[in-house]
Each structure stands twice: as C-alpha cells, then as structure tokens.
Amino acid sequence: MLFTSKTANQKRKAFRHMLGDGGLHQFPGAFNPLCAQAIERKGFDGVYVSGAVIAADLCLPDIGIANQEEFIRRGQQTARVTDLPAFMDIDTGFGEPMSAARTVRLVEEAGLAGCHIEDQVMPKRCGHLDGKEVVDTATMVQRIRAAADGRLDPDFVLIARCDARAVEGLDQAIDRMKAYVDAGADMLFPEAMKDEREFERVRRELGVPMLANMTEFGKSRLLTKQELTDLGFNVVIYPVTTLRLAMGEALRGLDHIKEVGDQNGILDRMQHRRDLYDLLRYEEYSRFDQDLFNFEVGDTPTE
Ligand SMILES: C[C@](O)(C(=O)O)[C@H](CC(=O)O)C(=O)O
Ligand SMILES: [Mg+2]
C-alpha cells in the first residue's frame, strides 16, 4: 500500500545510524501529518513532533494541559505517514515514573523512533521561558530509569532533556546530564543554552549524541547547520517553525480577505491544489484502486 514502506524498527535503526555517523541531522517539526510528508519530500533527515505544537494546535498553551492520549495520537498520525524516523516530545512523561514508562511504551507502539523526557516539575513550561522549575536529580534519574525500562525495542532512542541551565547554572546542568546518561538516556537535549560556548562545553563534557533546539524567539541564537556541525551536535530540531510559518501566512491571508473581500490577490502565496494532490500522491491512490478493481464479474471462464 502507499502509506509507508518502512517498519518502525527500520526507522529506529536509521535514526541510530544517524546518531553515530558524525554528521548533523535536521529534524523540522511537523505541525501535522501532511507537513511530515512535505519534510520527507524536501529531503530532510527526520521529523520532530513538538509538544508546544500539539498544544497550540488544540489552542492551548504549552503548560502540560494537553494530555497523554492527545500527544500519542498526534505522534502516531505523524510517524505513520513518513519513511523518515520521527521522534516526539513527551514533556515530563505524564506522571510518576511508572506512568513515564507506560508513556514510552505507548510512543514505541505508535511507531516513533524515540522521544525526549524532561526534568521540569509539573506543570511544565516552554524551556525558553523564565520561571521554570526542575525536579531534583534523584527524581529525574528515577524518571529516566523507568522510561528506559518502558522500552521493548532496544533501538528506540530515549533522549533526556535537561532544563536546569536556566535554573541552576551550567555546571549543575552538566552534572545532572552525566547522571541522566548513567540512568539510561541514549542522547541528551541541553535546553536553552545561552551561547555557542555553552553548546561547546556540553559537547566536550558529555560523550553521547547531542540534540540542539533551534526554536525561534527563545534564548539561543539561531545557529547555522555549519555551526552546529562544527560544534559536534548530532541532531537539530526546528520545533515550531512550520507552524509559525503556516500561521503567519494564514493570518496575513485572513487580513487580506477581510480588507479586499476575495482571495484573488493571494493565490500565488498558497499551495496550489495540484501541489497538494502531488504531496498526497492522489494519482497513485487512483492507480491502486484501478488495479484492485480491474476485473469484471462476467470474466470467470465457465464450462
Ligand atoms: C522543544 C519544545 O519543547 C517543543 O515543545 O517543541 C519547546 C519549543 C518552544 O516552545 O519554542 C521548548 O523549547 O520548550
Ligand atoms: Mg515541549
């Protein structure tokens, strides 16, 4: 059939391979499954499913009110339309360690290649806002152990996100991240680094694959692909970028229709029906259908 041609395990193996090949891999956030297909067509390495986007999509702020089921559903809907590995945000894991383990298992069953779990308290906030709080190291270590234990497929990638930089300083954040790796994290996500020197130091002191979050209007300067490659990072996410782009155009388009009264002046800024159908592989679906229904009832030879 037409949906995807790779199993979840093949995608996880591909993700694992990326983490070990020394290059930087770009994972734009997909604000919906259709966008994941666009990310694949554009030749990116993988797809990110952002908690901030899942919440915003439901018209909610990113403060832990969207629930586990809403997260998993969106993760599954996204992962299943692309051959690229997709990994997702699970915030603080949706509860105590046992719930975090179950969340990881559900994310795995949903076909994702990995997920990140963070050391904030509930209710959490966006990592680039002030006023965050983190749980103590021992609590987060338990969370990670439980999350690691929740996995069935050893190729599923567990990413520990550390929000402590803004709360306790870089030295403490680095100590925490060491403990998170000992607890079973495969990869680290140092959140809201202030500058390149901080990214560089984290990379130097920790020997596991590293993720950089290039979210706009946050605390980190938007580093280029080359800069992140030189810093030795393995994965970069652009978590909310496609949503911001789409909403920016939607708002401008709505203004135009309100002012002018029709859409004639903005057609060239839209995805054409033809291009949408191409992205959906409309024609291939029609062909599939024809191949299935290419017989006639009277065709069977009779004596
Ligand atoms: C990466 C992140 O966790 C997300 O949910 O996408 C957010 C992104 C954002 O709010 O800009 C975060 O950095 O906390
Ligand atoms: Mg998030």
Side-chain angles (χ1 to χ4, degrees), residues 48 50-52 62 89 126-128 161 191 213 215 239-240 244:
Y48 176 65
S50 146
D62 183 20
D89 190 350
C126 161
H128 286 254
R161 164 168 150 175
E191 177 65 316
N213 176 11
T215 193
V240 194
R244 296 195 217 281

Side-chain angles (χ1 to χ4, degrees), residues 225-244:
K225 185 176 180 189
Q226 192 57 54
E227 285 172 320
L228 288 165
T229 307
D230 294 345
L231 282 166
F233 270 63
N234 308 82
V235 169
V236 55
I237 54 170
Y238 310 100
V240 194
T241 309
T242 57
L243 178 76
R244 296 195 217 281

